[in-house]
Amino acid sequence: ALAIFDHYRESKLMGEEEVAIHIFDRWFSDGTVKMTGEMELFDARMFADFNRSTLIGRDAPEVTMTDRKGRPVTLPSKEKTSILFFFDTACAKCQLEMKVLPMILESIDFPVDFYAVYCGSDKKSWRKFRNGFKVRSGCVSVIHLWDPEIETDYLRLYGVISTPKMYITDPQGTVIGRRLEPESLMEMI
């Protein structure tokens, strides 16, 4: 059971993590099958709790954050396809993805809301990112958001243990892609 759980938790195939969560819920959470220790159980519980709400086919959690002008904005959109990109300006992988994303977004030919969710706390760094992140497309609306006090619980709801994290939802708000890399986002588009 532990080997099967680990296999599906670490799977490279999008959507297979749901099998790991099912195994955890069915056998490990109530102690039917014992894990090797408390830390392993804690880690498995955290994995299940941080991934459960964004599984493929589920309604994405609605979260209201602040935009660059201090106004509340709820993500994801219920009218357009949404791409949710959780990042930190201090994250090297995020910086690489931020250089590629504008080109990908400019290739989209249907209505999309791109939510760039800053997970850091440095307002100047966030402003610098916003000023440098340009997407020239009539189909894509870029919406910059943050929650510096983490009042929305988005870290748990969207499994943001590390950055970057990227999801895509359909116009009804259903998760259709998770744990996306720029290449897989291009394929989905």
Side-chain angles (χ1 to χ4, degrees):
L2 288 169
I4 294 169
F5 174 78
D6 285 340
H7 170 78
Y8 285 104
R9 177 172 62 172
E10 302 299 328
S11 176
K12 300 288 183 215
L13 199 59
M14 180 174 50
E16 283 197 344
E17 56 279 343
E18 187 167 2
V19 176
I21 293 171
H22 171 75
I23 292 168
F24 174 80
D25 291 344
R26 174 66 179 87
W27 288 290
F28 296 124
S29 70
D30 66 357
T32 300
V33 174
K34 300 285 185 210
M35 293 197 132
T36 58
E38 287 298 316
M39 280 308 292
E40 189 174 37
L41 179 61
F42 174 79
D43 185 47
R45 186 177 310 284
M46 191 164 127
F47 171 81
D49 289 347
F50 275 61
N51 285 279
R52 185 181 316 280
S53 63
T54 57
L55 295 174
I56 301 294
R58 300 245 175 126
D59 290 339
E62 287 189 5
V63 178
T64 302
M65 297 184 171
T66 305
D67 72 3
R68 62 188 181 87
K69 294 183 178 177
R71 298 174 298 207
V73 174
T74 300
L75 63 87
S77 173
K78 296 290 185 176
E79 300 165 1
K80 300 180 193 175
T81 298
S82 297
I83 299 170
L84 290 67
F85 179 63
F86 297 89
F87 73 96
D88 190 341
T89 54
C91 162
K93 186 174 179 188
C94 298
Q95 291 174 7
L96 289 172
E97 289 189 9
M98 289 184 261
K99 296 207 181 306
V100 175
L101 281 171
M103 178 187 67
I104 294 169
L105 296 173
E106 289 170 1
S107 73
I108 295 174
D109 60 357
F110 55 92
V112 171
D113 282 337
F114 179 81
Y115 295 95
V117 181
Y118 177 52
C119 299
S121 58
D122 183 348
K123 196 170 189 171
K124 287 182 183 178
S125 182
W126 184 44
R127 183 180 311 117
K128 183 178 177 184
F129 165 75
R130 291 190 326 258
N131 291 337
F133 190 82
K134 302 293 183 203
V135 175
R136 290 162 183 82
S137 170
C139 294
V140 178
S141 299
V142 177
I143 303 147
H144 296 281
L145 301 175
W146 79 327
D147 178 12
E149 304 301 323
I150 311 172
E151 296 172 341
T152 61
D153 198 25
Y154 77 92
L155 296 175
R156 181 185 61 80
L157 292 170
Y158 281 95
V160 184
I161 295 172
S162 63
T163 55
K165 292 277 190 237
M166 191 167 11
Y167 299 89
I168 187 168
T169 65
D170 67 13
Q172 292 74 42
T174 303
V175 177
I176 58 173
R178 63 186 316 265
R179 298 185 326 172
L180 297 173
E181 301 282 335
E183 298 82 19
S184 52
L185 176 63
M186 272 181 26
E187 287 179 31
M188 291 195 73
I189 290 170

